[in-house]
C-alpha cells in the first residue's frame, strides 16, 4: 500500500530482525524517518544505513534507563516521535517442554522481553507522544498463540496473550488522548531461522511444521513483507478509526479446525 507518512518519526524495536527491518523499510518508503532500535547495535546500524533518514540505537527494552536514553536520542535527532512499533520479542527453541519442566530463568527471559519490555518501551515513548498533542500510533506485535494457545512454550504463550489484552487496555486509556493502539497476531513467519529449523527438509522441527501447516488453510507460512504491510496500514492515516484491535495474520489458522 501507499500512504503519506512525511514528517513523521517511527521507532521500531527489534529493528534488525526479519520483520522489523522489512517494516522499517516500508515505513521509510512512505516518507517516515526511522529509529532502528535493537539490542544488536551493529545490526541496527546496518539496517539504518540503508534507509534514507534513520537513526540506530542499541537498547535492551527491559532496561527503563536505556529506553529513556533511546527516546531522548530520537528527540535530539528528529524532535518528535509519532509511531512506535513494539516488534522486539523472543521465544525458545532449546526448551520446548511442559510448564512443570520449564526453567524459571528462561521463563523470566521470555516474559521479560516480550511483555515487560513492551511496557517499558511504551511508557518511554508515550511521554513525548502525549506531550506533543499531535497524537500517535502504537502497533504491538503479539502472536496467534496469544489467541489460541499451543503446547510446550508457556512463557511465550502467556506473554503474547498478555500483549493482546494490554493492547486493548492501552487503547481504552489512550484513545481519547489521540494515541491509537492496535496489535497484530502473526502465525508462523518464514525468516532465516524458521526456514532452517522448520521448513528445511532436514530441519530439526520439520515434521512439526508439516503438521502445523496442515491446519493452515493457505498451507504456508507468512513472509515478513506480509506482516510489514499490516504494520504499515495500522500506522497509516487510513487506520484513523481503528483502535484496540488485534488482527491475526495467520493464513486462516485461527478461523477454525481443519479436518
Amino acid at each position: 500500500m501507499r500512504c503519506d507518512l512525511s514528517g513523521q518519526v517511527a521507532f521500531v524495536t527489534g529493528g534488525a530482525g526479519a520483520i522489523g527491518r522489512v517494516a522499517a523499510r516500508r515505513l521509510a518508503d512512505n516518507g517516515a524517518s526511522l529509529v532502528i532500535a535493537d539490542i544488536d547495535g551493529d545490526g541496527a546500524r546496518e539496517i539504518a544505513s540503508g534507509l534514507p533518514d534513520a537513526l540506530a540505537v542499541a537498547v535492551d527494552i527491559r532496561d527503563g534507563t536505556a529506553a529513556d536514553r533511546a527516546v531522548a536520542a530520537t528527540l535530539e535527532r528528529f524532535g518528535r516521535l509519532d509511531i512506535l512499533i513494539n516488534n522486539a520479542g523472543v521465544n525458545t527453541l532449546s526448551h520446548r517442554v511442559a510448564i512443570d519442566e520449564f526453567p524459571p530463568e528462561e521463563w523470566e527471559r521470555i516474559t521479560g522481553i516480550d511483555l515487560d519490555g513492551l511496557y517499558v518501551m511504551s511508557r518511554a515513548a508515550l511521554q513525548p507522544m502525549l506531550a506533543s498533542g499531535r497524537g500517535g500510533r502504537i502497533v504491538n506485535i503479539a502472536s496467534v498463540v496469544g489467541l489460541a494457545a499451543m503446547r510446550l512454550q508457556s512463557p511465550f504463550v502467556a506473554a503474547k496473550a498478555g500483549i493482546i489484552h494490554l493492547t486493548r487496555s492501552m487503547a481504552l486509556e489512550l484513545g481519547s488522548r489521540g494515541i491509537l493502539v492496535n496489535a497484530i497476531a502473526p502465525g508462523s513467519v518464514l525468516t532465516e531461522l524458521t526456514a532452517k529449523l522448520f521448513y528445511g527438509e532436514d530441519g530439526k522441527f520439520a515434521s512439526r511444521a508439516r503438521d502445523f501447516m496442515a491446519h493452515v488453510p493457505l498451507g504456508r507460512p507468512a513472509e515478513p513483507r506480509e506482516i510489514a504491510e499490516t504494520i504499515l496500514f495500522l500506522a497509516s492515516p487510513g487506520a484513523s478509526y481503528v483502535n484496540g484491535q488485534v488482527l491475526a495474520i495467520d493464513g486462516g489458522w485461527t478461523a477454525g479446525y481443519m479436518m
Side-chain angles (χ1 to χ4, degrees):
M1 66 172 287
R2 296 294 301 176
C3 63
D4 185 8
L5 297 176
S6 300
Q8 296 196 47
V9 176
F11 190 111
V12 181
T13 69
I19 294 173
R21 63 177 180 257
V22 179
R25 166 55 65 183
R26 294 300 292 127
L27 292 162
D29 287 345
N30 287 271
S33 299
L34 268 296
V35 180
I36 306 300
D38 204 287
I39 197 167
D40 175 6
D42 290 339
R45 285 185 284 275
E46 180 181 353
I47 301 304
S49 69
L51 299 174
D53 188 21
L55 169 70
V57 292
V59 58
D60 182 341
I61 60 171
R62 295 169 292 185
D63 182 341
T65 300
D68 288 340
R69 282 199 303 264
V71 170
T74 301
L75 298 178
E76 182 178 355
R77 168 73 177 269
F78 298 113
R80 60 189 292 166
L81 176 54
D82 307 279
I83 299 164
L84 173 63
I85 311 300
N86 276 316
N87 169 68
V90 296
N91 198 351
T92 185
L93 292 175
S94 58
H95 295 97
R96 291 294 175 99
V97 295
I99 190 168
D100 57 300
E101 301 175 53
F102 211 95
E105 62 276 9
E106 185 70 348
W107 174 284
E108 291 169 5
R109 182 184 75 90
I110 293 168
T111 59
I113 294 170
D114 290 8
L115 183 57
D116 298 343
L118 186 146
Y119 153 72
V120 169
M121 197 67 247
S122 296
R123 188 175 185 277
L126 278 166
Q127 308 308 312
M129 280 189 185
L130 291 168
S132 74
R134 290 186 297 263
R137 304 292 174 86
I138 297 177
V139 181
N140 295 327
I141 311 305
S143 167
V144 291
V145 304
L147 295 167
M150 293 184 73
R151 300 170 55 246
L152 308 183
Q153 43 188 315
S154 53
F156 185 71
V157 170
K160 295 302 184 177
I163 288 172
I164 287 170
H165 238 40
L166 177 59
T167 295
R168 294 167 176 149
S169 178
M170 292 169 70
L172 293 172
E173 294 173 354
L174 298 169
S176 63
R177 302 164 75 183
I179 310 290
L180 305 184
V181 186
N182 294 286
I184 63 172
S188 185
V189 181
L190 188 61
T191 65
E192 294 93 337
L193 181 61
T194 60
K196 178 180 179 181
L197 292 176
F198 290 89
Y199 301 112
E201 286 299 320
D202 57 350
K204 181 178 179 181
F205 301 110
S207 62
R208 187 177 299 176
R210 285 191 291 271
D211 292 342
F212 179 77
M213 284 299 121
H215 298 288
V216 177
L218 294 191
R220 64 171 179 84
E223 296 181 14
R225 63 173 179 80
E226 294 174 303
I227 310 302
E229 287 300 315
T230 310
I231 293 171
L232 175 61
F233 166 67
L234 291 172
S236 76
S240 58
Y241 203 62
V242 182
N243 191 36
Q245 302 306 303
V246 180
L247 179 57
I249 312 172
D250 65 353
W253 178 62
T254 54
Y257 183 69
M258 292 271 288
M259 293 294 292

